[in-house]
Amino acid sequence: MDWQFVFSQALTQAIGPTMIVYALAAIGLNLQFGYTGLLNFGQAAFAAMGAYGLALTVASFGLPFWWGIAIGLVAAVVMALLLGIPTLRLRADYLAIVTIAAAEIVRRLMRATVWSDTTGGSDGMRGFSEPFFKMKPWSDDATWSFGFVSMDNGRLLVDLGIVNFQYSNRDLWILVVGWVLIAVILVIMGLLVHSPWGRVLKGIREDEEAVRSLGKNVFAYKMQALVFGGIIGAIAGFMFALSRANVQPDTFSTDFTFYFYVVLILGGAARLFGPVLGAALFWFLYNLIAQGLNQAIRADVIPSSVLDSTQVGPLVYFLLGLGMVLLLIYRPQGLIGNKKELMFDVR
């Protein structure tokens, strides 16, 4: 078995394009749930607003790329307002019910055949990502070498001896833009949550009535958190669509949101770097276990009568789910969360 290959592949995915999407979406959930206590089970819908806002604008209506970005962000804001206005004055579970329903409504609308000529229906949409990849500052045939890092025809190669990994031309541009976005958003988040505004959000999470008794407009603060978190979710949708160069409605199911929560809980809610750590660790473990099991099957270390390649996927999710249950029991605040500030009580 080639354990070096397995570890290299897992490390590649731990900082790769998919991890960036999950980290961004979980950062938005962290603002809503971790800092404000809002149960948003429809983050997939905000990601869909960003992805389809960009795809429809560029591919269907022929407008410039940046118009697509703007329209996707506006769509996320409008959705947050539509969901928040009737629910945020009520109990937290009302927002949870409405957002999970909204996510399914959005998916069904994009999947509907009645306007599939515009949205692509269940087949999805393509042809909107080229303007983004044309913005990258290096050419497709760029070749250079510097120490353990080299580029061969636009493909990045990193050789650390023990492990080595590589990214295609397009994935590298996604990585550059994605990590810059994560850094910028985390800086802004850090400034916000350590400001008086952020302290009010934490107060709402702990005791909404106490904050209201101090004369604060709790509804307005909740709405702001929902809108800002939704905007970050739309940015995750942009990166998701661009990394795949296509949008397909069934990828924005409620499962998508639940994975965001897994990432957030794993890293630690109400911590700036919790979502990033959770996303990196989740995808590292997922690929390490999946690649390791596949390698063991090919090398006949695991007989096919015990486990075959078609069973690897479900088994990996079972093992990760079991790990999450144990985490919630023995460390409910997550890996870097503060037990005194926020935790999930599963007793």
Side-chain angles (χ1 to χ4, degrees):
M1 292 178 59
D2 189 354
W3 288 108
Q4 183 177 354
F5 172 79
V6 171
F7 189 79
S8 297
Q9 287 295 307
L11 187 61
T12 299
Q13 295 300 319
I15 58 174
T18 304
M19 173 269 172
I20 287 173
V21 172
Y22 279 70
L24 285 169
I27 289 171
L29 273 183
N30 196 25
L31 178 62
Q32 296 167 342
F33 175 73
Y35 288 104
T36 318
L38 299 178
L39 283 174
N40 171 21
F41 286 144
Q43 190 73 333
F46 290 103
M49 289 294 100
Y52 270 97
L54 174 61
L56 287 170
T57 302
V58 177
S60 296
F61 302 115
L63 296 175
F65 176 83
W66 292 109
W67 275 90
I69 296 295
I71 289 173
L73 294 176
V74 170
V77 172
V78 172
M79 168 162 275
L81 294 174
L82 290 176
L83 297 180
I85 288 173
T87 62
L88 290 181
R89 298 184 189 275
L90 306 173
R91 295 198 315 266
D93 52 349
Y94 284 92
L95 178 64
I97 294 168
V98 168
T99 51
I100 198 171
E104 188 62 14
I105 290 171
V106 169
R107 186 181 74 85
R108 293 285 182 175
L109 287 175
M110 294 301 103
R111 207 175 189 279
T113 57
V114 64
W115 44 66
S116 59
D117 291 341
T118 302
T119 65
S122 59
D123 294 330
M125 300 181 66
R126 295 177 177 83
F128 57 86
S129 60
E130 286 305 316
F132 171 76
F133 290 110
K134 288 179 180 178
M135 298 178 190
K136 65 182 186 300
W138 61 86
S139 62
D140 291 340
D141 58 354
T143 302
W144 52 264
S145 178
F146 184 77
F148 58 85
V149 182
S150 62
M151 182 174 283
D152 182 17
N153 290 324
R155 189 178 188 87
L156 183 69
L157 310 172
V158 180
D159 188 355
L160 299 176
I162 300 176
V163 295
N164 57 79
F165 46 94
Q166 54 186 310
Y167 295 101
S168 68
N169 202 345
R170 293 194 167 205
D171 283 349
L172 180 57
W173 183 227
I174 292 286
L175 282 177
V176 171
V177 175
W179 279 105
V180 168
L181 285 172
I182 288 176
V184 171
I185 291 172
L186 286 181
V187 169
I188 296 173
M189 280 270 292
L191 294 174
L192 287 175
V193 300
H194 291 99
S195 69
W197 183 81
R199 288 191 285 273
V200 172
L201 293 187
K202 291 181 181 180
I204 293 172
R205 181 193 68 200
E206 299 299 331
D207 192 336
E208 182 177 320
E209 293 303 322
V211 174
R212 188 175 286 111
S213 69
L214 295 174
K216 301 296 183 180
N217 189 337
V218 171
F219 173 78
Y221 279 93
K222 283 183 174 182
M223 182 62 73
Q224 291 163 18
L226 185 63
V227 169
F228 292 157
I231 288 174
I232 299 173
I235 294 173
F238 294 145
M239 300 308 298
F240 185 68
L242 292 170
S243 65
R244 298 189 171 203
N246 117 302
V247 288
Q248 203 274 340
D250 290 335
T251 58
F252 299 100
S253 64
T254 52
D255 295 350
F256 209 29
T257 299
F258 295 147
Y259 289 139
F260 299 153
Y261 269 104
V262 168
V263 165
L264 178 59
I265 294 169
L266 178 61
R271 283 291 179 267
L272 280 178
F273 294 99
V276 180
L277 175 63
L281 186 58
F282 177 82
W283 284 107
F284 176 79
L285 291 175
Y286 176 85
N287 286 277
L288 184 69
I289 298 172
Q291 292 285 347
L293 289 175
N294 281 317
Q295 285 277 333
I297 292 170
R298 294 192 192 100
D300 290 330
V301 175
I302 300 177
S304 58
S305 59
V306 176
L307 182 71
D308 61 51
S309 58
T310 61
Q311 298 170 321
V312 168
L315 178 60
V316 172
Y317 280 114
F318 168 78
L319 293 174
L320 290 175
L322 178 61
M324 285 301 301
V325 171
L326 295 175
L327 180 71
L328 288 173
I329 293 173
Y330 294 106
R331 191 170 176 81
Q333 71 272 27
L335 294 179
I336 61 173
N338 187 341
K339 188 174 183 179
K340 294 180 180 179
E341 181 178 4
L342 179 71
M343 73 176 194
F344 297 86
D345 189 354
V346 296
R347 293 174 296 176

